Amino acid sequence: MEENNLVITFTITLLIVVLTMIFIYVVFIKKKTTLLLEQKEKDMRFEKELATSQVEIKEQTLNYIGQELHDDVGQKLSVVRLRQNQLISKLKNAEREELNELSELLGECIQDIRNLSKTLITEQIIHFGLTESIEREVKRIQKLKLLKIEFVTQKQDIDISPKHGLILFRIIQESINNILKHSRAKNVSIQLEDDHNTLRINISDNGKGFNTTKIQDGSGLKNMELRAKLIHAEFSIQSELDKGTQTSITYYKHII
């Protein structure tokens, strides 16, 4: 009887030891698996962060190159072309024709650089925001010293979709380019008014003005109007001969 009790006790003890060892093994395996999964997730997060950083560095580099092309090379070529056009009017007919050909070629180079820079700085609005992007554009124009240009705004941070901000910025750029090319203006003002629901942009100059009823479909003015429609913004131009031009853009934030 005592022997039977001893066997039973030993068996129960052995079973408890075996079950304990199995439990410890299961806990160990589970913990090891958890650690491996955590390490794998950590490695994946690191790889993702590394890839993201590489993409950001690439974008920043392209943005920098695009901005340098736009601000430096494009600006210098524009000044060269303007000076060349001033000299052409003082030359004889034969010399004038030759320089006109060079002027046209130079104009094509400037346009190519502008197109390339626009491609490279597409993300500019995301990085700088609409207000700072306009300020950078105004500083670029000020360096040309062709006219006086000012930018007036109430806020630095504008709550607006980057994609819509980019379109608005392109409209402003197009307006400024038209002023430089055609208006003969001495003063330009860009005003930005922002409230909770509406963003208003006014661009005015004191140039020679034009007849707004004779705007051609292929002109930059039509392009600006079409771009405004893409984001459901209101676009209008008021101009009088010898009194200047005012361009108005009204963007409604609640419309997406």
Side-chain angles (χ1 to χ4, degrees):
M1 186 70 178
E2 189 175 339
E3 256 181 51
N4 289 337
N5 289 337
L6 189 60
V7 170
I8 292 170
T9 302
F10 177 75
T11 302
I12 293 172
T13 302
L14 183 60
L15 183 60
I16 292 173
V17 171
V18 171
L19 289 173
T20 302
M21 290 179 66
I22 292 172
F23 176 76
I24 292 173
Y25 178 75
V26 170
V27 171
F28 171 76
I29 292 298
K30 187 176 181 180
K31 188 172 182 180
K32 184 178 180 181
T33 302
T34 301
L35 289 173
L36 288 173
L37 287 173
E38 288 177 353
Q39 184 62 40
K40 188 175 181 180
E41 289 179 0
K42 185 178 179 181
D43 292 341
M44 289 176 66
R45 284 197 299 269
F46 174 77
E47 292 296 330
K48 184 178 180 180
E49 187 65 32
L50 181 62
T52 301
S53 299
Q54 289 172 339
V55 170
E56 288 177 350
I57 290 171
K58 183 180 178 181
E59 286 181 351
Q60 289 171 2
T61 303
L62 290 176
N63 284 333
Y64 174 77
I65 294 171
Q67 199 64 47
E68 285 299 304
L69 284 171
H70 191 277
D71 289 352
D72 190 25
V73 181
Q75 171 189 320
K76 289 175 181 176
L77 287 175
S78 295
V79 173
V80 170
R81 193 184 188 197
L82 285 168
R83 290 290 298 142
Q84 185 184 45
N85 288 337
Q86 291 172 353
L87 292 173
I88 286 175
S89 61
K90 301 178 182 179
L91 298 175
K92 297 178 181 179
N93 289 335
E95 297 170 332
R96 188 181 300 173
E97 287 180 7
E98 292 180 6
L99 277 182
N100 277 332
E101 292 179 4
L102 291 177
S103 180
E104 289 177 6
L105 181 60
L106 186 58
E108 290 177 7
C109 292
I110 293 171
Q111 190 59 50
D112 289 342
I113 288 175
R114 283 175 178 168
N115 292 337
L116 179 59
S117 68
K118 285 179 182 179
T119 301
L120 293 175
I121 62 172
T122 300
E123 301 300 316
Q124 174 172 300
I125 299 298
I126 296 175
H127 293 292
F128 301 117
L130 178 60
T131 303
E132 186 172 345
S133 294
I134 297 172
E135 288 175 344
R136 291 164 67 89
E137 186 72 7
V138 167
K139 288 178 181 178
R140 182 183 74 82
I141 302 303
Q142 288 173 340
K143 289 179 183 178
L144 296 174
K145 296 181 180 179
L146 299 173
L147 47 72
K148 292 182 180 180
I149 182 169
E150 64 171 357
F151 175 45
V152 180
T153 180
Q154 301 166 319
K155 298 180 181 178
Q156 284 296 117
D157 297 323
I158 305 297
D159 183 17
I160 184 175
S161 159
K163 291 181 179 179
H164 287 195
L166 179 60
I167 292 175
L168 288 172
F169 179 66
R170 294 301 186 215
I171 294 172
I172 295 168
Q173 273 189 323
E174 186 77 35
S175 179
I176 293 173
N177 287 336
N178 284 340
I179 291 171
L180 289 173
K181 289 179 182 178
H182 308 297
S183 74
R184 299 179 188 172
K186 298 298 181 183
N187 296 286
V188 177
S189 175
I190 303 172
Q191 295 183 334
L192 192 153
E193 298 178 4
D194 177 47
D195 59 37
H196 184 67
N197 295 315
T198 309
L199 177 64
R200 294 180 179 86
I201 302 169
N202 291 300
I203 306 165
S204 58
D205 68 71
N206 65 343
K208 63 179 183 178
F210 62 96
N211 187 342
T212 56
T213 62
K214 295 183 179 181
I215 299 174
Q216 298 178 355
D217 290 340
S219 69
L221 299 178
K222 281 292 183 182
N223 292 335
M224 287 190 285
E225 186 176 5
L226 290 173
R227 282 179 171 175
K229 286 181 178 178
L230 287 175
I231 55 174
H232 305 287
E234 294 179 1
F235 178 84
S236 65
I237 291 180
Q238 294 179 341
S239 185
E240 290 185 49
L241 293 176
D242 300 322
K243 291 186 178 181
T245 303
Q246 180 171 310
T247 301
S248 299
I249 309 155
T250 303
Y251 172 78
Y252 301 98
K253 297 180 182 180
H254 63 278
I255 298 177
I256 300 175

